[in-house]
Amino acid sequence: MPANILIVEDEVAILELIALNLHQSGFNPLRAVSAEIADNLVKNTLPDLIILDWMLPGMNGVSFAKRLRANSDTKKIPILMLTAKSEEENKILGLDSGIDDYLTKPFSPKELIARIKALLRRSAPELTDEPIK
Ligand code: CA
């Protein structure tokens, strides 16, 4: 069963680029353009990992991460945060928001996939098993 990966990103071009790369790597991408939409999605399908953009309209990525961590259903889902600048990167390092990893934009899709696999290997090793050839 492919891992469900929720992408929360308001820039549709980036959202679709990530979704395409996830799909090509054998993951099942779920899409949300705001934290509010993501929040509703999570209530129906618990994702195996969340890629979360920092800057979102409405609730920002950090607030959403804190909300996920405060809920017993979602507190263990790995979160990879996307940041736009090194200033945000520095803030993340000092944050107690429960972010598992982060990438600064622009990032290479290859690196994103590698980070996702590393996070899933830690949280759900069965989801990253290579298919038998
Ligand atoms: Ca954004």
Side-chain angles (χ1 to χ4, degrees):
M1 205 179 68
N4 289 315
I5 305 203
L6 173 59
I7 313 155
V8 192
E9 168 62 87
D10 59 309
E11 287 159 76
V12 176
I14 297 176
L15 178 71
E16 288 307 323
L17 176 72
I18 296 172
L20 178 70
N21 278 278
L22 288 175
H23 183 72
Q24 285 173 345
S25 303
F27 298 112
N28 182 33
L30 307 168
R31 299 165 174 83
V33 293
S34 72
E36 288 79 4
I37 292 170
D39 199 36
N40 273 318
L41 251 165
V42 164
K43 282 172 191 152
N44 295 317
T45 310
L46 271 188
D48 298 295
L49 184 144
I50 299 175
I51 300 168
L52 182 57
D53 187 32
W54 175 301
M55 292 300 289
L56 293 166
M59 192 193 301
N60 71 33
V62 172
S63 301
F64 186 50
K66 286 181 177 166
R67 173 186 281 229
L68 290 166
R69 287 295 175 252
N71 183 316
S72 58
D73 291 332
T74 56
K75 70 178 177 191
K76 285 186 176 161
I77 301 174
I79 298 173
L80 190 155
M81 181 77 84
L82 300 179
T83 73
K85 45 185 187 282
S86 53
E87 199 180 300
E88 292 174 353
E89 185 183 323
N90 289 335
K91 276 193 221 159
I92 274 185
L93 296 173
L95 273 178
D96 188 23
S97 55
I99 305 299
D100 296 281
D101 200 359
Y102 67 90
L103 267 182
T104 307
K105 294 179 186 174
F107 52 84
S108 98
K110 248 187 192 170
E111 181 169 9
L112 178 68
I113 297 295
R115 300 283 189 103
I116 288 168
K117 285 184 176 169
L119 285 172
L120 286 174
R121 218 170 286 136
R122 260 190 270 160
S123 68
E126 73 280 5
L127 292 175
T128 51
D129 284 350
E130 296 296 329
I132 297 161
K133 287 177 184 140

